[in-house]
Amino acid sequence: MQINPGKILVLTEQFKNSDLIFDPLRKAGYQVEVNETFRLPNEDELVEKLRDNVVATIAGGEPYTQKVFDAASALKIVARWGVGYDKVDVAAATRAGVPVAMAFGANHESVAEYAYAMALSLACRLDKRNAMVHDGKWFFDGFHPGLWGRTAGIIGLGRIGQGMARRCRAGNMRILVCDPWAKEQQLAELNAERVSLSTLLGEADLVSVHAPSTPESRHTINAETLSLMKPGAILINTARGPLIDEAALADALAAGRLGGVGLDVFETEPLPAHSPLRHFDNVILSPHVSGMDRMAERLVTERCIENILNYLQGNTSALEPYVVNPELLNV
């Protein structure tokens, strides 16, 4: 009699059961169930789903709490579709013996490209001018600020921050970096300068946030730091919503201190209908999709699948670079 090795849940919002990309899991003998509701499960829904002999998940932004891990007796690994794990209680996962594997190195260029596209759109007023012509209007609305030859400030020089810096460098921009963990070699390769946050904010025409979301980094951009920003500067956040105090940001926009803002992430997602950020015409809002281009769809999903199969098949050494609690691997 064939032994059922268990079920693998794909809980992100963008796939279907018919997608062939999950065939390697099926060929390995696992039952694959894809979330086709196009919304993430809440905590209670996740608890119920994981009771059904689920050995692995390809996780979206659903909450992995102590309650979830307590109920998931068969769960062996969580493979996060992306590079952020702020929705996962890593300590609870570790206590449960469940490694949390990330897709590091798979979609950083996608996010960097999206951030740069937002910045260029704002600097060139593409959204406003597109709306103008669609509305049947045709007139010169003033010189746009542009980015060529200006100064870029990168907060956080991880893979995505480096990708953003390379794009800014291609635009002949001066690169300022605020990241105490950035290596000198990285800075040298980007021809970037390490500066304090206050210096970066005071000199940058473009500020792009690429830091992780931690209790220490919460509201890095707040009323005080916004007041330090160069008048007319553009602010981009494709990292995590809690890095910016949205109430303070709305106040700065209302005061006319910023040239434009591009946000793909928010303190509360979906963005509440009453958010004042919806009412500024120099703000681009996007539903947390910066890392979801066609290239990332394949690369990130393949990384999640490989992480799951490597762990379930005992190849833990291959998994080590991607796990945020590697002490569970015994490599």
Side-chain angles (χ1 to χ4, degrees), residues 70-102:
D70 286 345
S73 59
L75 187 63
K76 293 181 171 60
I77 182 172
V78 172
R80 173 76 173 85
W81 202 98
V83 297
Y85 48 94
D86 48 302
K87 295 296 185 180
V88 180
D89 185 336
V90 176
T94 303
R95 287 191 292 270
V98 177
V100 179
M102 312 304 297

Side-chain angles (χ1 to χ4, degrees), residues 44-67:
D44 289 337
E45 290 169 333
L46 184 57
V47 165
E48 289 304 311
K49 287 178 180 294
L50 293 177
R51 292 189 195 279
D52 189 19
N53 195 29
V54 174
V55 297
T57 66
I58 295 180
E62 67 275 9
Y64 287 82
T65 62
Q66 182 69 60
K67 177 181 176 181

Side-chain angles (χ1 to χ4, degrees), residues 146-211:
L147 289 179
W148 177 262
R150 308 303 199 277
T151 297
I154 310 293
I155 301 175
L157 198 66
R159 292 181 180 88
I160 300 171
Q162 291 175 59
M164 183 64 164
R166 287 194 297 273
R167 286 162 173 79
C168 292
R169 173 57 59 196
N172 198 35
M173 299 185 78
R174 176 189 176 207
I175 311 295
L176 305 180
V177 170
C178 179
D179 185 338
W181 294 281
K183 297 178 181 178
E184 292 301 326
Q185 181 180 349
Q186 293 172 328
L187 296 167
E189 289 173 352
L190 295 166
N191 195 20
E193 308 167 43
R194 191 198 308 270
V195 297
S196 66
L197 180 60
S198 60
T199 297
L200 182 151
L201 295 174
E203 298 185 17
D205 301 285
L206 163 64
V207 175
S208 196
V209 182
H210 301 286

Side-chain angles (χ1 to χ4, degrees), residues 235-281:
L235 174 65
I236 304 293
N237 185 14
T238 55
R240 285 293 183 267
L243 295 167
I244 295 181
D245 181 340
E246 290 176 9
L249 178 60
D251 289 342
L253 285 161
R257 295 204 300 271
L258 299 176
V261 174
L263 301 173
D264 183 52
V265 290
F266 304 91
E267 291 191 87
T268 299
E269 296 181 359
L271 182 66
H274 62 267
S275 170
L277 296 173
R278 294 177 179 271
H279 305 300
F280 297 99
D281 63 3

Side-chain angles (χ1 to χ4, degrees), residues 293-309:
D293 65 11
R294 287 298 184 188
M295 186 66 76
E297 176 186 25
R298 177 176 64 83
L299 294 177
V300 176
T301 306
E302 288 176 349
R303 171 45 53 203
C304 289
I305 291 169
E306 289 176 18
N307 285 343
I308 289 172
L309 290 178

